[in-house]
Amino acid sequence: MPMLNPADAAFVARLAVLLPEGAVREAEPRYVEEPRGRWAGQAGAVVYPRRTEEVQAVVRACADARVGILPWGGGTGLVGGQIMPEGPAPVILSLERMAALRGLWPEENVLIAEAGMTLAAAQEAATAAGRQFPLSLASEGTARVGGVLATNAGGIGVLRYGNARDLCLGVEAVLADGSILGGLKRLRKDNSGYDLRHLLIGAEGTLGIITAAALRLVPRPAAEVTALLVVPDPAAALRLLTLCQTRVPGMVSAFELIGRMGLDFLAEKMPEVTIPFASHPAWCVLLELGLPSVFEAEEVMATLYAEAEEAGLVQDGVIAVSEAQRTALWRIRESIPEANRRIGAVSSHDISVPLSAVPEFILRADAALARLGEWRINCFGHMGDGNLHYNVFPVPGRSRKDHEHERDAIKTCVHDLVHEMGGSVSAEHGIGRLKVRDLEKYGDPGKLAAMRAVKTALDPMGILNPGAVLRQA
Amino acid sequence: MPMLNPADAAFVARLAVLLPEGAVREAEPRYVEEPRGRWAGQAGAVVYPRRTEEVQAVVRACADARVGILPWGGGTGLVGGQIMPEGPAPVILSLERMAALRGLWPEENVLIAEAGMTLAAAQEAATAAGRQFPLSLASEGTARVGGVLATNAGGIGVLRYGNARDLCLGVEAVLADGSILGGLKRLRKDNSGYDLRHLLIGAEGTLGIITAAALRLVPRPAAEVTALLVVPDPAAALRLLTLCQTRVPGMVSAFELIGRMGLDFLAEKMPEVTIPFASHPAWCVLLELGLPSVFEAEEVMATLYAEAEEAGLVQDGVIAVSEAQRTALWRIRESIPEANRRIGAVSSHDISVPLSAVPEFILRADAALARLGEWRINCFGHMGDGNLHYNVFPVPGRSRKDHEHERDAIKTCVHDLVHEMGGSVSAEHGIGRLKVRDLEKYGDPGKLAAMRAVKTALDPMGILNPGAVLRQA
């Protein structure tokens, strides 16, 4: 693969001629700062196309000059896919000004959004039409449609509605040669050729730049009922999940595991978050059901609760009986990442294992880490998807800085175990630049070779998000 | 692309050395007969590997000798993906003897099946474990897991559970260079690199040979209730669908449109199929709900019926109140393809359009065909997916042979309209060899170019299913 050239002043001046006035600017700090402050990026300029043809013009110019392109959505990624600290300075191609709703068809449960629309705006457009766009995650006010598709974002609605890829019917994208992939069909079934949509989704901008997408909407459940349930242990949580999915299949909207450490961290750093238990239970589950109007929602939850209690799966719990109570329960779950930030993790892990292996994974990971030292472990997350955020913190009196030299050993310990148990060391955040070596280490060799062949075929000069996902050759 | 060599006697003898005794045989007639008798195929031999490594050995030998490989599942495809009438004779690689269940995890709702397992056997394995594998189609007793994934098969369960691709968590495959893609993870979330699973699914064996798959299961609905409802027209059917999805979101298991011609054909050719209406209605819908035990299923259907009748969406109908009645209603829908075969279509079309365009498509297609002559049109199918089987038959007294010379004009007429309306001319059957020209004509040029680049990258010699999906260069 030939070396790339930096986006120098002369090249940036050429871009300025191609685009409308004001569409080429110097990079503000937010474009070169990693959200967790881990490293600094670089950029020759930021360009703000407003139309697909302008994206095309930028890509063609970059292809001609062999200049790298860093596609930019909301900048909320956690694996450095949007930050390029090394190599010749790229052009940041921001989709922020390309954010129109191209159409919404309520009777089809479809909307078409441009890549720069925020996830929150897509949700609002759906809600205004009496529908729901069920992808939901912490950064939804900032994350943008193109970015959540490029990273195949997950979040709290995956159990019921799937990842970003499951909610996408088609994409429009600009490929590395400047050609446009026109795939904005609003079809539920289309078996005409290779599914390049799914190849671009999750490719983190390395195979093409998504400029718009046809997204699936769903009907809004008539009633939602939420409960925070104390369970004896993760194995009981798993059996509770099976019970719920058997009794009300397809209606379990969220099943989030919360451990005692998560509650302790909240009490320590965010005491304004109310925890409805006198003492913090070892494990609890935030369960939400979304039910049609033909149900008495609270009655269904109460029946499930009684059955679970009878079976020894639930020991205590609260069922929200008002919207305010529901919000309060969700606030517990949603505040955990902020409490984590205030404590300061030594190492964070976005992992998944086969669902039935979750309890064993937690036991074995705790035991393995105990052999490396003394930690506080906050294990929480999307248990219904087999996806845990398994985060390791210093004990009181120590800080993450005291453990910098141990971070690699901790990460390796956790990731080796995940791999051994048939899991993934990147469940929902992607590879970016942070996990390129993990992918090389744990990825299937046949898959990696095929990935490299596809990358070379679709981006022979390597100008699209250079160094993300795959190491730049 | 270099020319391929035929699988001649010397090459077949070499294969016989690589595989266990009895694993290389002459091709029986069923391997070279197209299911509808449209054309004849050819084959140097059929090989029956039993293990992934044997598939690998065959692929390596074919790659060395530049011999084409025709992957074979159940042979039920309708677009000639499994029949090669032209070019150097290939080796048929049958997965029929590689049909083991590698594992089943009820609490994860996952099973792993080898590619040669029939769809019916996969369904039975799931049922035996108290679960359901919801992919269901007419040929399920013969079609095999590898084939339904390679073609991304659809069928009657798509509305609720998705196509084959939506039910697949991972695949194992042998690529054109003989390497193994090991992707049998049982994970709901795995964002580690490009999604090659979805690239292989629907590629019809042209990018790799699927040897095993991890498949998603679902809980069995506690109760199913089925009705055949007379609707005034397809527009009313569409509004009925929206009503159902609003009232019981996620619980509509089937929504199949049946036109008067379908019932007339049954009365003419299969009078043993009971139709529960004194006179054949212009349009009816086979509606099935799958409900949890907390529901009174028949009560829900009755409530829906009353609301739909009040809104003028339903004029008459029968609700099955026994399993025998439910079977009888499904028999109507499931017998239509056989009645069609006995009548003999001039041209059949597996099309999809955006859901809200279905009523307009039917009106416009009928009008356009009327300008070409006199026909009987049987339009039926998966209305909930926007997927219709729009099939054109001779009027009584004429046969399909009388219209051979008009078939292309009819097909073009229908397909042009589908394309104009943003639809797909291959909704669920795939491209195979039958629709290669349609893909070239209607496919997005950017997509076609990228498809060719991917094909060349993953199968540079073009040995995998030569001439299917993409024309052999």
Side-chain angles (χ1 to χ4, degrees), chain B residues 184-358:
Chain B
L184 283 182
K185 289 193 169 171
R186 308 179 336 246
L187 302 176
R188 302 285 161 163
K189 279 183 172 173
D190 180 13
N191 277 348
S192 56
Y194 304 160
D195 199 321
L196 301 181
R197 159 192 55 159
H198 280 306
L199 190 60
L200 292 175
I201 296 173
E204 305 183 34
T206 63
L207 298 179
I209 298 167
I210 294 170
T211 50
L215 300 175
R216 263 184 63 202
L217 309 179
V218 297
R220 301 186 64 79
E224 282 169 322
V225 56
T226 309
L228 188 66
L229 304 175
V230 175
V231 294
D233 52 38
L238 188 62
R239 287 172 57 208
L240 176 63
L241 174 64
T242 299
L243 175 69
C244 294
Q245 289 185 319
T246 307
R247 292 295 174 267
V248 282
M251 286 176 268
V252 183
S253 299
F255 196 93
E256 297 284 314
L257 187 70
I258 299 172
R260 178 182 285 140
M261 198 63 78
L263 302 178
D264 291 351
F265 282 7
L266 287 173
E268 183 181 336
K269 295 290 183 186
M270 302 175 76
E272 68 277 17
V273 176
T274 307
I275 296 164
F277 303 117
S279 68
H280 293 173
W283 296 101
C284 52
V285 164
L286 184 69
L287 169 67
E288 185 161 280
L289 309 178
L291 300 162
S293 57
V294 280
F295 269 128
E296 289 299 329
E298 275 136 41
E299 195 183 308
V300 172
M301 182 65 94
T303 306
L304 261 180
Y305 185 98
E307 187 174 354
E309 197 176 33
E310 175 76 25
L313 305 180
V314 169
Q315 298 167 319
D316 190 4
V318 289
I319 301 177
V321 294
S322 67
E323 188 56 30
Q325 287 180 7
R326 182 175 167 246
T327 304
L329 293 185
W330 271 110
R331 195 175 175 210
I332 295 169
R333 168 62 183 87
E334 287 169 351
S335 299
I336 291 176
E338 177 56 28
N340 285 347
R341 267 186 288 273
R342 296 186 192 179
I343 298 276
V346 181
S347 186
S348 301
H349 313 92
D350 163 42
I351 66 96
S352 64
V353 290
L355 201 50
S356 62
V358 167

Side-chain angles (χ1 to χ4, degrees), chain A residues 136-337:
Chain A
S136 177
L137 36 88
S139 59
E140 62 198 22
T142 312
R144 292 167 192 267
V145 164
V148 299
L149 288 171
T151 58
N152 185 31
I156 54 169
V158 175
L159 178 62
R160 181 164 183 165
Y161 299 110
N163 283 307
R165 76 165 68 253
D166 301 304
L167 296 169
C168 179
L169 297 174
V171 296
E172 174 192 271
V174 176
L175 304 180
D177 63 356
S179 63
I180 294 174
L181 180 88
L184 284 182
K185 289 192 170 173
R186 304 177 343 243
L187 303 176
R188 302 283 163 165
K189 278 183 172 173
D190 179 15
N191 277 348
S192 54
Y194 304 160
D195 199 321
L196 301 181
R197 161 191 54 156
H198 280 306
L199 191 59
L200 292 176
I201 296 172
E204 304 183 34
T206 64
L207 298 178
I209 298 167
I210 294 170
T211 49
L215 300 174
R216 264 183 63 203
L217 308 178
V218 297
R220 300 186 64 79
E224 281 169 324
V225 56
T226 309
L228 188 64
L229 305 175
V230 175
V231 295
D233 52 37
L238 188 63
R239 288 170 58 209
L240 176 63
L241 174 65
T242 299
L243 175 69
C244 294
Q245 289 186 319
T246 307
R247 291 295 174 266
V248 282
M251 285 175 271
V252 183
S253 299
F255 196 92
E256 297 284 315
L257 186 70
I258 300 173
R260 178 181 286 139
M261 198 63 78
L263 302 179
D264 290 350
F265 282 6
L266 287 174
E268 183 181 336
K269 295 289 183 186
M270 302 176 76
E272 69 276 17
V273 176
T274 307
I275 296 164
F277 304 118
S279 68
H280 293 173
W283 296 101
C284 55
V285 163
L286 184 70
L287 169 67
E288 184 162 280
L289 309 177
L291 300 162
S293 57
V294 281
F295 269 129
E296 289 300 329
E298 276 136 41
E299 196 183 307
V300 172
M301 182 65 92
T303 306
L304 262 179
Y305 185 97
E307 188 173 357
E309 197 175 33
E310 175 77 24
L313 305 180
V314 170
Q315 298 167 318
D316 191 4
V318 288
I319 300 178
V321 294
S322 68
E323 188 57 29
Q325 288 180 7
R326 182 175 167 246
T327 304
L329 292 185
W330 271 110
R331 196 173 173 211
I332 297 170
R333 168 63 183 86
E334 287 169 351
S335 300
I336 291 177

